[in-house]
Amino acid sequence: MNNTENISIENKIEELLKKMTLEEKVGLIHGNGLFRTEGVERLGIPALKMSDGPMGVRREFPNDNWNSLDYSDDYVTYLPSNTALAATWNRDLAYESGKVLGAEARGRGKDIILAPGINIVRSPLCGRNFEYMSEDPYLAGAMAVPYIKGVQENHVAACVKHFALNNQETERLNVNVEVDERALREIYLPAFEAAVKEGKSYTIMSAYNKFRGTYCSHSNYLLDDILKGEWGYDGVVISDWGAVHDTYEAANCALDIEMNVTNNFDEYFLAKPLIEAVKAGKVDEKVIDEKARRILRLMHRINIFEEGRYSGAYNTAEHREKTLRTAREAIVLLKNDNSVLPLDKNKIKTLAVIGENAEKLHALGGGSAEIKALYEISPLLGLKMKLGGNVEVKYAKGYSENEAQAQQLLEEALDIAEKADAVIFVGGLTHKLDTEGLDKPDLKLPYGQDVLIEKLLQANENTVIVMLSGTPVDMGAWLEKASAVVQTWYNGMEGGYALAEVLLGDVNPSGKLPVTFPKRLEDSPAHSIGEFPGRKDVHYREGIFVGYRHFSTNNVEPLFWFGHGLSYTTFEYNNIKLTKEEREDNIRISVCVDIKNTGNRDGAEVVQLYIRDVEASVVRPVKELKGFQKLYLKSGESSTAELVLDKTALAFYNEIKHCWQVEAGKFEILIGSSSEDIRQRAIFTVDKDLNYI
């Protein structure tokens, strides 16, 4: 949009504002339905219609209650969870996933889709981690930016959530987060900043929790000073549903729309109480004008007034194909001793598939992320679809979250496992534990799965173990005995088919872990240094040492490192080269490294770049992710990964000067296949200090 068009739109907005009554303006800034605001019919201003995401457009509800309408026309494409998407380490797939979600939202008549969720995975126990992308702010931001762009190409606003520090579900409505400024700036805000500055997200959702004693939806520091001030955000801030607690505080910060879970719409804090406060002279009507102005600007951005607005589409074949591509690349091969995988279907006459997650469907669970999927292919169905009629597939639950006859289920599973040519166990978690509103009590596998897995491995040492979950689980009881372990996620409607393709070798796995898998819960920084969960208050005493930053710096060995993921082929790294250019206000580092597929299968490798500040005056992690590139290479093929860094890759936040600082001195580039599997290194020197806001 050019400057002339912007001026024209701003003029139209001002003309509308002059014509609106106070009551009409206030109607724009609070819910007049569970997922909509109020329009101004006489002026042609429509209501804004919203829907939950990010795994698809949620089912329809009545305007004033949460009882399902049971329509037959609101089935949708079920996308892989954000954690699964992040595990692809593929920006193009993030863009395509966003594009699918935006098209489906528009096809369902929505103006705003409440996605993506980019809160940092601080603890592996947070019940909502499956909705988030990573423990690393760079990876979360790098995947969120193209996702947002994909959504908004469809004349639909993305709503990035939850701003900020919403890292637990326990007491999420009231818990007060205490975190130092450096950790805030280096860990918990960068992905949101990228979403705003690079992704240009039209809306952002304020979080439930308090930050330093003030609710996030009332926080002048978060919403006015940082978001609107430092980052120059001119979009719309929407409260999480029920996150507003005071009329005066919410009115006098940069919150624009109050939403809630109740149907007393006129009694919302930014409804009649706000009108009364303005008339009593307690709130300046100018603050209402500014909120309404931003909302009207949003409406123009999504072409809500235009006759030629994109109509969208949902449940298309193209959407299903894109979902399958994402699901394939999300699957992570954690362990593959003796090349047990892929299975050779020509050598299998009888396959035992064991575990309730082999047949369980997950779309309609998890809280607000629930999806009314057009269909969902389970792992069992996917395997049968791929194997056809020449392989006899026998299934046993082995365990169940709903049945008490554990011994009988175990015996049935062992019976078919002992007689089969190959065994695949599919276990893990469900949305009974991975869900909004609850945090998990521990990392343990529920329902006796550890005992079952150990016995299966005794019956057949080459049993393939598949974990399906949104977060890490404890594998210590059996991991050393297992030859092949695969991590999949809530991987969308095609998840079971994609898993079958990987297990049977039609697809070479290329997923990498977006979070660290700890051996023990007490090894995780939020539990060993900080605290989790907080009740009234939670103190992030681990500071910047979140996830792999803690494990690497403190020499704590995890179960699986951040960025880990194996392939059915091998990759060789050689010839790292870098060039440096220092400017007055920036630094440019170009890094090249040659990658060769040295195996006999085509495959993809995620080349990961980490930075170490060798001579820092403050304590810094021994490595921090600052770049990545996914390369697709045929057997024997070579290519060059090219990664470019600037000052933001080298800086830390100086709490005394209240600015970002790059210090003169030595830095080390570390290039590898995971945060621990470093293949190439190079040193460079920064000649002078650089400070910036």
Side-chain angles (χ1 to χ4, degrees):
M1 189 176 292
N2 60 42
N3 191 49
T4 302
E5 290 174 320
N6 279 330
I7 293 172
S8 175
I9 287 172
E10 293 301 318
N11 289 337
K12 290 177 181 178
I13 290 171
E14 296 308 316
E15 289 174 8
L16 280 173
L17 282 173
K18 289 176 184 177
K19 297 175 182 177
M20 294 172 69
T21 66
L22 171 63
E23 288 75 12
E24 287 171 337
K25 286 182 283 191
V26 169
L28 297 182
I29 68 173
H30 71 84
N32 190 42
L34 297 178
F35 285 101
R36 54 168 296 214
T37 58
E38 185 175 4
V40 184
E41 187 175 353
R42 73 179 184 88
L43 296 176
I45 301 173
L48 281 172
K49 298 174 183 177
M50 312 175 196
S51 176
D52 276 316
M55 296 163 72
V57 187
R58 201 174 181 187
R59 69 170 80 182
E60 294 295 333
F61 292 94
N63 195 55
D64 60 356
N65 67 75
W66 294 91
N67 298 319
S68 175
L69 288 170
D70 292 326
Y71 288 166
S72 63
D73 60 358
D74 56 354
Y75 291 92
V76 294
T77 301
Y78 170 30
L79 292 157
S81 68
N82 276 352
T83 308
L85 180 60
T88 70
W89 292 61
N90 186 327
R91 294 175 176 88
D92 292 337
L93 287 180
Y95 167 75
E96 293 295 344
S97 294
K99 199 171 178 180
V100 169
L101 182 61
E104 299 231 339
R106 188 78 283 279
R108 287 270 304 278
K110 310 304 179 185
D111 304 306
I112 301 171
I113 188 75
L114 308 179
I118 58 173
N119 291 100
I120 292 297
V121 178
R122 176 176 176 254
S123 162
L125 298 187
C126 176
R128 218 166 176 182
N129 280 344
F130 73 96
E131 288 190 61
Y132 302 145
M133 289 188 171
S134 179
E135 67 190 32
D136 181 78
Y138 179 84
L139 178 58
M143 297 297 285
V145 167
Y147 184 99
I148 292 163
K149 290 180 178 179
V151 167
Q152 295 185 167
E153 279 190 10
N154 299 277
H155 298 164
V156 171
C159 187
V160 179
K161 59 187 187 182
H162 309 87
F163 189 67
L165 300 153
N166 191 171
N167 307 109
Q168 66 178 59
E169 290 300 285
T170 303
E171 297 294 336
R172 63 175 178 162
L173 300 179
N174 296 292
V175 68
N176 176 51
V177 177
E178 296 291 338
V179 61
D180 65 69
E181 192 70 12
R182 188 176 167 203
L184 176 71
R185 299 286 184 155
E186 293 188 23
I187 303 296
Y188 298 100
L189 294 188
F192 287 101
E193 184 174 6
V196 166
K197 289 184 174 180
E198 300 173 50
K200 308 293 184 185
S201 183
Y202 294 155
T203 74
I204 193 166
M205 183 187 293
S206 59
Y208 278 126
N209 51 282
K210 295 176 183 175
F211 168 57
R212 296 177 184 166
T214 301
Y215 284 105
C216 290
S217 295
H218 306 169
S219 176
N220 292 112
Y221 186 55
L222 285 177
L223 303 185
D224 294 88
D225 297 349
I226 296 177
L227 181 62
K228 298 293 176 79
E230 294 179 27
W231 299 351
Y233 185 62
D234 66 350
V236 169
V237 179
I238 303 171
S239 79
D240 205 340
W241 270 232
V244 176
H245 299 264
D246 181 86
T247 296
Y248 182 82
E249 290 184 9
N252 287 288
C253 76
L255 179 76
D256 298 307
I257 298 176
E258 177 193 5
M259 299 300 292
N260 209 328
V261 297
T262 59
N263 61 8
N264 56 333
F265 308 117
D266 288 341
E267 297 173 19
Y268 285 10
F269 291 101
L270 295 187
K272 279 188 176 179
L274 179 57
I275 294 171
E276 293 167 1
V278 172
K279 290 181 176 179
K282 295 179 180 179
V283 173
D284 193 326
E285 189 170 348
K286 289 181 180 179
V287 304
I288 315 299
D289 291 343
E290 184 55 32
K291 296 178 195 300
R293 185 175 288 115
R294 289 193 288 261
I295 292 166
L296 292 170
R297 188 180 298 128
L298 165 66
M299 290 180 174
H300 279 284
R301 284 174 171 163
I302 60 175
N303 284 21
I304 206 168
F305 298 112
E306 302 299 321
E307 291 183 4
R309 189 184 187 192
Y310 177 55
S311 61
Y314 62 111
N315 291 325
T316 69
E318 181 187 14
H319 291 178
R320 296 192 286 275
E321 190 275 332
K322 289 180 178 179
T323 300
L324 175 58
R325 283 175 49 207
T326 301
R328 286 168 174 158
E329 293 197 25
I331 295 167
V332 183
L333 180 59
L334 295 177
K335 186 177 180 181
N336 193 25
D337 294 353
N338 305 316
S339 297
V340 169
L341 289 173
L343 297 175
D344 186 347
K345 60 184 177 183
N346 296 317
K347 295 181 179 179
I348 301 172
K349 294 188 181 296
T350 304
L351 174 67
V353 179
I354 295 165
E356 189 172 48
N357 260 353
E359 67 167 351
K360 192 171 184 65
L361 304 182
H362 299 277
L364 202 57
S368 62
E370 67 180 20
I371 297 301
K372 193 173 175 181
L374 181 65
Y375 63 82
E376 180 180 354
I377 298 175
S378 69
L380 180 62
L381 176 56
L383 285 163
K384 287 190 172 185
M385 290 167 68
K386 287 296 299 178
L387 290 169
N390 292 336
V391 177
E392 184 181 8
V393 178
K394 294 188 175 182
Y395 170 69
K397 275 188 178 182
Y399 72 90
S400 175
E401 65 179 37
N402 297 317
E403 295 183 24
Q405 297 169 320
Q407 186 62 32
Q408 180 181 339
L409 293 176
L410 186 149
E411 290 173 359
E412 290 172 354
L414 292 177
D415 181 60
I416 68 166
E418 289 168 354
K419 300 171 184 175
D421 298 316
V423 180
I424 297 173
F425 172 80
V426 187
L429 304 178
T430 69
H431 283 310
K432 189 171 183 178
L433 290 169
D434 279 330
T435 187
E436 180 182 12
L438 296 173
D439 293 320
K440 292 180 284 296
D442 51 47
L443 294 177
K444 297 294 183 183
L445 282 171
Y447 321 122
Q449 291 181 67
D450 284 333
V451 173
L452 173 59
I453 293 171
E454 287 192 82
K455 290 187 178 297
L456 288 173
L457 290 169
Q458 291 170 5
N460 186 330
E461 62 181 8
N462 289 328
T463 295
V464 174
I465 308 298
V466 178
M467 287 288 106
L468 191 160
S469 64
T471 47
V473 296
D474 185 350
M475 305 181 193
W478 45 263
L479 182 60
E480 288 188 8
K481 304 167 191 172
S483 296
V485 183
V486 174
Q487 175 68 35
T488 190
W489 319 89
Y490 303 109
N491 212 6
M493 64 201 306
E494 294 282 350
Y497 191 79
L499 178 64
E501 289 183 310
V502 168
L503 296 177
L504 298 172
D506 295 321
V507 168
N508 192 347
S510 64
K512 301 279 188 175
L513 292 180
V515 293
T516 304
F517 278 35
K519 285 184 177 178
R520 308 176 308 159
L521 179 60
E522 53 266 36
D523 290 339
S524 296
H527 300 267
S528 67
I529 303 171
E531 56 189 56
F532 185 95
R535 298 290 174 173
K536 181 179 179 182
D537 298 281
V538 58
H539 299 85
Y540 290 16
R541 294 189 176 94
E542 70 277 12
I544 61 171
F545 293 96
V546 176
Y548 70 91
R549 287 168 168 79
H550 161 75
F551 287 88
S552 297
T553 305
N554 295 294
N555 296 312
V556 179
E557 184 76 21
L559 199 66
F560 293 105
W561 287 96
F562 173 84
H564 171 73
L566 304 176
S567 171
Y568 295 151
T569 189
T570 52
F571 299 94
E572 186 178 88
Y573 290 57
N574 287 300
N575 304 322
I576 187 170
K577 297 176 184 177
L578 63 87
T579 58
K580 182 195 71 169
E581 180 186 355
E582 287 195 46
R583 304 169 186 169
E584 191 66 30
D585 62 347
N586 208 341
I587 300 171
R588 187 181 190 276
I589 309 291
S590 177
V591 183
C592 295
V593 63
D594 295 337
I595 311 296
K596 182 178 182 180
N597 182 341
T598 54
N600 57 10
R601 287 177 177 264
D602 299 347
E605 172 71 334
V606 178
V607 181
Q608 301 165 41
L609 186 155
Y610 298 84
I611 286 283
R612 181 168 78 95
D613 188 342
V614 179
E615 300 178 337
S617 64
V618 296
V619 176
R620 300 193 69 177
V622 298
K623 58 175 76 83
E624 298 180 86
L625 181 74
K626 296 300 178 181
F628 65 89
Q629 184 178 353
K630 194 163 193 175
L631 296 177
Y632 297 83
L633 299 172
K634 294 181 179 180
S635 175
E637 183 183 5
S638 296
S639 185
T640 300
E642 300 180 40
L643 300 152
V644 178
L645 310 175
D646 63 11
K647 62 186 179 184
T648 62
L650 311 179
F652 66 88
Y653 190 79
N654 188 314
E655 293 182 288
I656 297 173
K657 296 180 179 180
H658 303 289
C659 71
W660 291 92
Q661 181 171 359
V662 180
E663 289 184 322
K666 290 183 180 179
F667 289 81
E668 185 176 24
I669 299 279
L670 304 99
I671 301 284
S673 186
S674 79
S675 60
E676 186 66 10
D677 184 7
I678 302 301
R679 309 286 185 88
Q680 295 277 289
R681 299 171 182 264
I683 294 283
F684 67 94
T685 301
V686 172
D687 297 328
K688 59 185 178 183
D689 288 357
L690 175 62
N691 299 332
Y692 65 96
I693 302 299

